[in-house]
Amino acid sequence: MGSKTKNLSLDTTIYPLEAILNASFLFLDRFYIFLKRGKHKHILKVSLTLKRTLPKKKYIGLSNEFFNAILQSSLRYFVSKRNKKIRDYIVNRALYSALPLSDSFDSQGEGLDYRKDPLGIAVPWEEKYGKQKKNMQSRV
Amino acid sequence: MASKRKTCNLGFDFTIYKKIAVSRAIEAFRDFASFKVRYTNKKAMVKIEYTPPDSSDIIHHEFANYVLGLTKQCL
């Protein structure tokens, strides 16, 4: 692949594949990147070829930056894996509270008429308690 | 003087790359090169043939980058 190509071997038990893909994606504008499996299943070979638009001097610095990017992506991956449960819970809660009221709540009022007034809400206070007050006064 | 036709073989391992990413990339690069693909259970062997314009011979590199980008988007 030319003199500006650097081959790296990465252990996927240390750096997860998702993290390597993430870091590679970040460097797509500066390198031509190709990934393949090594002899062992957990070894991933990464070949980095510097794009011609960039000066050769930058090559070493950039490839070292790539290592750092893999480490950073790995950390992000592990943190997101650890927080998955709580993240799911928060999203579920947010979505659930945005739902409209359930049908069962509406069905409780089916067949009722506002004119029937079974709880006696529409009855004036004087009608409801006026008689009791008169009785109380007469007792006194 | 006309440039020589360049041939390049790339093996995309399905434990790293997505199959759909490979087929979509081939679809996208169809106008720039001719492709021969052989799919197995574990990988896609892609043979790319193209005539490099001037001094540039980077289409296979660009193709590999494109597959990687699509794979990342599929995750």
Side-chain angles (χ1 to χ4, degrees):
Chain A
M1 278 189 167
S3 58
K4 285 188 286 179
T5 302
K6 193 170 186 174
N7 293 305
L8 317 169
S9 291
L10 299 169
D11 193 334
T12 49
T13 56
I14 301 168
Y15 304 109
L17 178 64
E18 286 82 356
I20 297 168
L21 282 173
N22 253 330
S24 305
F25 188 72
L26 291 175
F27 280 77
L28 278 184
D29 58 334
R30 285 164 275 183
F31 288 116
Y32 295 118
I33 302 171
F34 189 68
L35 309 171
K36 61 182 175 184
R37 289 273 172 205
K39 283 181 183 175
H40 298 285
K41 211 176 181 182
H42 58 274
I43 297 294
L44 196 74
K45 287 186 171 179
V46 183
S47 87
L48 301 172
T49 308
L50 193 70
K51 287 194 175 181
R52 282 179 183 167
T53 49
L54 293 170
K56 219 173 182 178
K57 285 178 186 173
K58 278 193 171 181
Y59 182 57
I60 297 167
L62 275 176
S63 56
N64 288 339
E65 262 184 50
F66 182 75
F67 284 121
N68 279 2
I70 295 172
L71 200 61
Q72 190 192 10
S73 302
S74 301
L75 183 68
R76 285 173 66 91
Y77 174 78
F78 288 125
V79 169
S80 81
K81 204 176 173 185
R82 197 182 301 159
N83 295 341
K84 190 180 182 302
K85 249 184 180 177
I86 187 76
R87 212 172 51 243
D88 284 350
Y89 177 76
I90 292 167
V91 173
N92 282 343
R93 186 81 188 126
L95 290 174
Y96 183 75
S97 58
L99 282 174
L101 292 172
S102 64
D103 292 338
S104 60
F105 185 79
D106 291 338
S107 65
Q108 285 178 358
E110 268 178 25
L112 288 178
D113 190 358
Y114 73 96
R115 285 168 293 192
K116 287 180 182 171
D117 191 21
L119 297 174
I121 296 167
V123 181
W125 190 87
E126 287 80 9
E127 274 181 38
K128 208 172 183 181
Y129 300 104
K131 290 171 189 173
Q132 287 179 9
K133 210 175 181 182
K134 280 176 188 175
N135 290 339
M136 289 282 278
Q137 281 173 352
S138 62
R139 278 183 198 172
V140 174
Chain B
M1 199 177 122
S3 307
K4 278 187 179 178
R5 198 159 172 82
K6 191 178 169 76
T7 307
C8 194
N9 289 302
L10 295 171
F12 293 95
D13 197 314
F14 290 144
T15 57
I16 304 166
Y17 296 96
K18 298 274 180 193
K19 193 176 180 180
I20 186 80
V22 177
S23 52
R24 281 191 184 170
I26 290 169
E27 195 74 24
F29 277 74
R30 187 183 265 178
D31 295 340
F32 306 105
S34 59
F35 292 91
K36 279 179 188 169
V37 200
R38 191 161 51 86
Y39 291 108
T40 61
N41 283 340
K42 287 182 179 175
K43 58 167 70 177
M45 293 302 301
V46 182
K47 188 181 177 185
I48 307 169
E49 278 184 17
Y50 63 95
T51 309
D54 302 329
S55 60
S56 139
D57 56 346
I58 54 165
I59 288 178
H60 62 287
H61 287 309
E62 290 288 355
F63 177 76
N65 266 15
Y66 197 78
V67 176
L68 186 65
L70 287 179
T71 302
K72 170 68 178 54
Q73 283 175 13
C74 289
L75 288 177

